Amino acid sequence: MEEILGYIKNNKQNYIEELKEFLKIPSISTLTENKNDIARCAQFVSDNLKKIGLSRVEIIKTEGHPLVYGEWLGAPGKPTILIYGHYDVQPVDPVELWNSPPFEPTLKNGKIFARGATDDKGQVFMHFKSAEAYFKNEGSLPLNVKFIIEGEEEVGSESLNIFLKNNSDLLKCDAVLISDSSLYGPGIPTLTYGLRGIAYLEVEMIGPNRDLHSGSFGGAVANPINKMAQLISKLLDKDGKVTIPGFYDDVIKLTKKEKENFKTLKFSDKNFAKDLGVDELNGEKGFSTLERLWARPTFDCNGIIGGFTGKGAKTVIPSKVTAKISMRLVPDQDPNKIAKLFERHIKKIAPKSVKIKVTNLHGGYPSLTNIENPANIAASKAMAKAFGKKTVFMREGGSIPIVTEFSKKLKAPVVLMGLGLNTENLHSPNEHFDLNHFELGIISSAYFMKEFAETK
Ligand code: BES
Ligand code: ZN
């Protein structure tokens, strides 16, 4: 292990230079104009996996964005891990708020700034580089490794879902290893055992058949934006509870033990509020902040498009408005069921003066992993060794929809070894990744391979 660790230390600068090349590619999955960049990015991933020494690497075409598969199965009798990650990124807007261009990776104060730095290119790359360290020093890995890196995580993982259904033999493994989440705090080794799910819908509300003069018509015909605002405000009550009938039916209550564990994590509401620049936090009554974030479902409007948004004033009653809605879900809520309940309810409470169209954009199941399995135990030991501290366990508010599909279809435990920080501006301007955590992630990955190999 000494040699491996030495190699990682000595090569950190090279790794960062390579990561920069990865980050330069604007692989935004939701925008059709970035389709070529997505293809270039899949090629980069494939080239890098070949370069580090895998025996088989393939770019797999799909109806959507390509998948990259890689494997090295030269350790017969040893366990097999499947390493998953995503090379796609979120859009960069509002681009004017970035201190350096999102696709020109910039180093500052031990961090690398670029879209995708922490979510997820920087984290995926840690595993490429730990494998490289083994190949360069020992010519082999301690166990069998498969990689599946996708380009649609940020838009719902549809193609990987289909691929997984038809190719569960190819992806068969003893554990799935994912680094696409966060540490509890800087320098704290952390494993995540729960993720929220999501239901994402778009609601279009249509009023008059054309935009109207707000003086000649205002007051006599419904303004869709006013109606949409009223509708949205009805979906949460004064205690922060979602008012959709049946919404909470399948929510599993927190156990006493879990509540206690959350408390031991010593979360500071004050520091959290300060970091976000708000005077007061806000959420469902009767729950702590960690409970609200990790174990309670939400309703949020993510954006409203409609009416006059240009400079100056224009007096107009818009003909239509669109709202983007997300609901974060917790076990055992079902995204399809929630989407139906939502649609039924809003159609019922919307006024007759407007028409409504609901589109279900994507959904993902929440997940909860029992961590008493050899893979999570090995990961906990590995991170503790790398960081020199005891590993903590937490849940998370974000979603990685494919996690539930992996557990169901591969029947293997999932290890969520995230090395990001929730303060690293993922999905927001000035996304970055702590390079110290990058190195600790490579070391954790290397230790994990050794630890888990010894379990068989
Ligand atoms: N890496 C994130 C999920 C995440 C964020 C996990 C923070 C833990 C901490 C992932 O790439 C992501 O953003 N997922 C989307 C999924 C959605 C588009 C289906 C999300 O949560 O919004
Ligand atoms: Zn991600």
Side-chain angles (χ1 to χ4, degrees):
M1 204 61 198
E2 283 308 303
E3 274 160 28
I4 304 281
L5 297 181
Y7 183 88
I8 294 170
K9 259 208 169 56
N10 291 338
N11 281 279
K12 189 176 170 184
Q13 286 322 315
N14 300 338
Y15 289 171
I16 294 170
E17 287 310 309
E18 273 184 71
L19 174 59
K20 279 188 183 169
E21 297 307 310
F22 194 10
L23 290 169
K24 278 184 194 167
I25 310 170
S27 47
I28 305 170
S29 48
T30 198
L31 302 178
T32 38
E33 63 257 39
N34 290 79
K35 211 165 181 256
N36 280 337
D37 301 314
I38 282 277
R40 266 203 303 137
C41 205
Q43 190 63 50
F44 177 94
V45 169
S46 158
D47 291 348
N48 210 277
L49 286 177
K50 275 186 198 144
K51 192 177 115 181
I52 62 174
L54 296 189
S55 47
R56 170 180 170 196
V57 181
E58 274 171 41
I59 296 180
I60 301 164
K61 289 212 175 77
T62 70
E63 290 284 307
H65 300 321
L67 300 165
V68 185
Y69 174 79
E71 67 176 31
W72 184 87
L73 305 177
K78 290 290 175 193
T80 301
I81 55 168
L82 173 69
I83 297 174
Y84 160 83
H86 62 96
Y87 66 80
D88 65 320
V89 300
Q90 288 271 342
V92 297
D93 57 287
V95 72
E96 64 280 6
L97 296 185
W98 285 76
N99 297 328
S100 51
F103 296 109
E104 289 175 25
T106 304
L107 302 182
K108 208 175 144 190
N109 302 331
K111 302 174 174 79
I112 187 160
F113 287 80
R115 171 58 85 230
T118 186
D119 185 12
D120 182 37
K121 289 174 176 171
Q123 296 201 53
V124 164
F125 215 55
M126 301 177 319
H127 301 294
F128 293 15
K129 298 301 113 178
S130 74
E132 176 182 319
Y134 275 111
F135 281 125
K136 288 275 153 33
N137 285 282
E138 298 179 358
S140 64
L141 300 176
L143 38 52
N144 302 298
V145 175
K146 297 174 177 178
F147 283 91
I148 186 84
I149 314 296
E150 70 155 318
E152 289 177 19
E153 195 276 344
E154 301 291 5
V155 289
S157 302
E158 197 178 330
S159 299
L160 177 55
N161 234 320
I162 297 168
F163 186 77
L164 179 58
K165 246 178 229 143
N166 302 323
N167 298 275
S168 53
D169 266 356
L170 180 75
L171 300 181
K172 192 170 161 350
C173 60
D174 298 292
V176 184
L177 175 62
I178 304 179
S179 293
D180 188 22
S181 55
S182 301
L183 299 168
Y184 182 64
I188 304 175
T190 312
L191 287 174
T192 295
Y193 65 92
L195 292 164
R196 285 199 288 196
I198 190 168
Y200 202 111
L201 299 106
E202 197 172 273
V203 180
E204 196 177 31
M205 207 179 244
I206 305 134
N209 59 10
R210 58 189 188 277
D211 285 4
L212 301 170
H213 188 286
S214 69
S216 313
F217 296 88
V221 62
N223 175 336
I225 299 187
N226 292 8
K227 297 295 177 198
M228 182 66 93
Q230 283 171 357
L231 184 90
I232 290 169
S233 69
K234 279 188 191 147
L235 293 173
L236 282 172
D237 71 13
K238 63 171 196 340
D239 293 332
K241 285 234 172 333
V242 181
T243 57
I244 301 167
F247 186 79
Y248 292 97
D249 282 3
D250 301 321
V251 171
I252 298 180
K253 283 215 176 75
L254 269 165
T255 60
K256 226 181 175 161
K257 197 172 150 209
E258 244 191 318
K259 271 181 176 270
E260 293 301 316
N261 180 45
F262 286 11
K263 273 196 199 129
T264 62
L265 293 173
K266 295 200 184 10
F267 186 82
S268 161
D269 277 4
K270 211 172 126 206
N271 292 348
F272 187 60
K274 195 168 156 221
D275 177 56
L276 300 177
V278 296
D279 293 335
E280 197 176 81
L281 296 178
N282 181 269
E284 192 183 357
K285 207 173 154 185
F287 294 93
S288 70
T289 303
L290 288 186
E291 289 167 3
R292 287 170 179 172
L293 289 171
W294 297 349
R296 296 298 297 169
T298 62
F299 168 87
D300 276 297
C301 177
N302 294 232
I304 296 189
I305 311 150
F308 176 65
T309 55
K311 280 209 177 84
K314 177 188 178 193
T315 47
V316 63
I317 308 271
S319 157
K320 64 171 196 177
V321 60
T322 306
K324 310 257 185 193
I325 305 290
S326 73
M327 289 168 277
R328 293 285 168 174
L329 311 177
V330 299
D332 274 337
Q333 284 176 302
D334 175 328
N336 298 317
K337 182 175 164 191
I338 292 293
K340 283 197 191 105
L341 290 177
F342 169 82
E343 181 168 356
R344 195 171 69 196
H345 183 59
I346 62 159
K347 284 193 168 152
K348 195 168 149 205
I349 65 169
K352 296 278 170 293
S353 50
V354 291
K355 290 185 197 72
I356 266 195
K357 202 179 128 203
V358 179
T359 315
N360 190 351
L361 292 185
H362 61 70
Y365 284 85
S367 71
L368 206 51
T369 309
N370 177 357
I371 39 191
E372 303 291 319
N373 58 67
N376 273 288
I377 293 168
S380 163
K381 284 189 196 154
M383 285 193 101
K385 275 191 188 160
F387 285 70
K389 270 184 222 162
K390 205 167 165 237
T391 301
V392 305
F393 293 88
M394 72 171 205
R395 283 169 73 166
E396 172 57 61
S399 311
I400 312 174
I402 202 69
V403 166
T404 307
E405 308 307 320
F406 279 143
S407 339
K408 274 196 230 157
K409 307 223 168 68
L410 302 177
K411 306 211 172 3
V414 175
V415 176
L416 295 170
M417 185 193 271
L419 268 290
L421 289 172
N422 284 346
T423 49
E424 290 182 326
N425 289 9
L426 38 167
H427 298 200
S428 160
N430 303 313
E431 177 178 349
H432 55 279
F433 188 30
D434 185 316
L435 290 169
N436 193 28
H437 292 153
F438 174 60
E439 185 180 352
L440 287 170
I442 302 171
I443 297 171
S444 299
S445 169
Y447 272 126
F448 173 73
M449 291 189 195
K450 191 138 270 169
E451 286 284 340
F452 192 48
E454 282 161 15
T455 62
K456 214 174 194 175

